[in-house]
Amino acid sequence: MSTPFRFGFVDDDMTEDNITRDNDGHEVTNSSAEEKSPAGAMPCLHTLDELLASLPYHIEYKTITIPSADHGEITLGRRELFDIRAQLMAEDTALDDSSAAGLLMDDIKPNVYEGGFKTWECSVDLARYLANQSEYFSHTLSNPCTIVELGAGTALPSQLLLHLRLFKGSASNSPRTTLVLADFNASVLKLATIPNILLNYQLGNEVGPDESGGDVDVFDQLGTNFQNFLRRCNVEIKAISGSWGTEFSAMALPETSKTPDDILILASETIYSPASTRAFTSTLLDLLHRCEGAGGKARALVAAKRVYFGVGGSVDDFLNVLRELGGEAKVVWTTDGLEDSVGRCILEVTSGAKEAITQMT
């Protein structure tokens, strides 16, 4: 008989006690075979202007350091959970959002609130892996490319890549990079994802992060300066809320007459719920096929725990669905052989097409 365990959030707010919860320190509502999952939400594209308009005047943050063989230690800032909670408590309208209620109750409910306000353990694994793939990314970023993070939440992997793109090398002379940040909950994009992206622009471009954390003032021109900086660096950021599916894929990768972009899809701990595994996998492959069909090169990296006890998801189940739908995957990083209570891995996923790109070095 399996027993529930913690997902493994890395936020200081999450205690390491023996509370019986599911994978990441929250109670997860587990849908039984007889229980019908809630209906999904139609995807919605959000502008940066819209999301930046909701920023508070002050952001508290803490830092996480990502080691890189080529760039040394990369320090990134993440908005503090208590700071998000304080904003939610101050905004009565936000409390009507089911995701806001989930945060205040410290609870995850599939298809309602997916835990995006907190940094999941496997997202740290993925960021660390990406930080040491400089040869691949120097090639990728030398061509027009689109990076899509599914279930972005605090967006640590995307933050890492954006930091390398903006602050390492000649950013202003680089080809176009489009970053698509997607989360089920619009409030997560508004209160965590985009604030973290803006925070790291501020820390990397102007003040530099304190060793363990601190606070920054969000002055009136910060959002404008940030968007001007992105334009100078030839970077576009898009944010999408709602469910995965063909509508989402069309929104993330619209058909254009431009030179096709290469695409990299990132996902961390998106397979914990069996109810959403097929939708996630179908969307993943749809994005890969859209890129390859337009003449671009495509790959995806999925970071996950081997088994999500008490919730039902697993890497094996994901691989079964992936292969059924024609995709392929290989393990590029794993904790196997290390002292770890719950095995974790990173999978490189391709569409299975003969013209799929060569393996990551």
Side-chain angles (χ1 to χ4, degrees):
M1 181 178 178
S2 62
T3 56
F5 68 95
R6 300 173 57 81
F7 274 101
F9 286 121
V10 298
D11 292 279
D12 295 338
D13 309 66
M14 300 304 296
T15 60
E16 296 299 327
D17 53 24
N18 294 319
I19 296 175
T20 302
R21 304 203 175 198
D22 283 28
N23 309 46
D24 251 304
H26 294 191
E27 294 181 356
V28 179
T29 301
N30 185 21
S31 298
S32 66
E34 296 78 23
E35 183 180 0
K36 187 176 180 180
S37 298
M42 288 296 295
C44 178
L45 182 65
H46 303 271
T47 67
L48 265 184
D49 283 335
E50 169 195 344
L51 296 172
L52 291 172
S54 63
L55 289 173
Y57 293 109
H58 193 77
I59 293 179
E60 300 276 350
Y61 72 92
K62 58 187 169 186
T63 62
I64 182 169
T65 300
I66 307 295
S68 170
D70 295 306
H71 302 290
E73 293 188 339
I74 300 171
T75 301
L76 301 173
R78 294 172 298 143
R79 190 178 183 187
E80 288 272 23
L81 268 177
F82 73 78
D83 197 47
I84 297 175
R85 284 194 175 102
Q87 184 174 352
L88 287 174
M89 296 295 289
E91 298 178 1
D92 292 338
T93 55
L95 295 177
D96 294 331
D97 189 334
S98 57
S99 61
L103 173 66
L104 296 176
M105 295 169 58
D106 208 26
D107 179 64
I108 295 174
K109 187 175 182 180
N111 288 324
V112 177
Y113 167 60
E114 300 283 354
F117 287 117
K118 300 193 176 185
T119 300
W120 296 42
E121 189 175 23
C122 289
S123 69
V124 180
D125 293 337
L126 185 53
R128 288 172 175 165
Y129 178 80
L130 294 170
N132 290 284
Q133 299 295 316
S134 295
E135 182 178 347
Y136 165 69
F137 289 112
S138 63
H139 171 73
T140 298
L141 296 177
S142 66
N143 298 293
C145 69
T146 295
I147 300 167
V148 181
E149 185 168 1
L150 301 174
T154 60
L156 190 64
S158 291
Q159 288 183 59
L160 184 283
L161 291 183
L162 190 61
H163 177 89
L164 295 178
R165 173 66 170 79
L166 296 179
F167 301 113
K168 304 292 182 182
S170 54
S172 60
N173 296 323
S174 297
R176 180 187 70 258
T177 297
T178 301
L179 176 61
V180 181
L181 299 163
D183 196 275
F184 183 83
N185 299 110
S187 60
V188 169
L189 296 171
K190 166 184 160 183
L191 299 172
T193 312
I194 294 303
N196 282 347
I197 296 294
L198 180 69
L199 173 65
N200 282 287
Y201 155 75
Q202 174 79 334
L203 298 179
N205 194 52
E206 298 182 16
V207 301
D210 292 336
E211 184 175 348
S212 59
D215 57 83
V216 296
D217 292 324
V218 181
F219 54 88
D220 291 340
Q221 287 298 112
L222 181 58
T224 300
N225 293 347
F226 175 55
Q227 294 191 74
N228 289 338
F229 182 70
L230 292 177
R231 280 190 285 270
R232 290 197 302 271
C233 295
N234 209 10
V235 172
E236 178 186 10
I237 295 179
K238 299 164 61 175
I240 304 174
S241 65
S243 299
W244 296 315
T246 55
E247 296 90 351
F248 169 87
S249 299
M251 196 172 289
L253 291 181
E255 295 182 3
T256 66
S257 59
K258 297 179 181 178
T259 302
D261 288 4
D262 293 344
I263 184 175
L264 173 66
I265 305 168
L266 307 173
S268 303
E269 309 215 56
T270 49
I271 60 171
Y272 77 87
S273 172
S276 60
T277 297
R278 182 169 293 272
F280 166 73
T281 309
S282 296
T283 301
L284 191 68
L285 290 175
D286 188 20
L287 291 170
L288 294 174
H289 287 307
R290 283 173 179 268
C291 174
E292 292 167 350
K297 296 180 179 180
R299 68 153 46 85
L301 294 172
V302 178
K305 288 184 172 63
R306 292 284 190 178
V307 179
Y308 290 90
F309 295 106
V311 193
S314 71
V315 168
D316 285 344
D317 287 345
F318 166 66
L319 290 175
N320 288 337
V321 175
L322 178 68
R323 290 163 184 154
E324 178 187 335
L325 297 177
E328 297 178 355
K330 72 168 187 173
V331 176
V332 295
W333 178 89
T334 180
T335 60
D336 292 354
L338 303 177
E339 291 185 5
D340 192 272
S341 59
V342 180
R344 309 189 309 277
C345 66
I346 297 174
L347 299 167
E348 180 184 357
V349 178
T350 57
S351 67
K354 291 182 180 178
E355 63 271 20
I357 53 177
T358 57
Q359 304 297 337
M360 183 179 292
T361 57

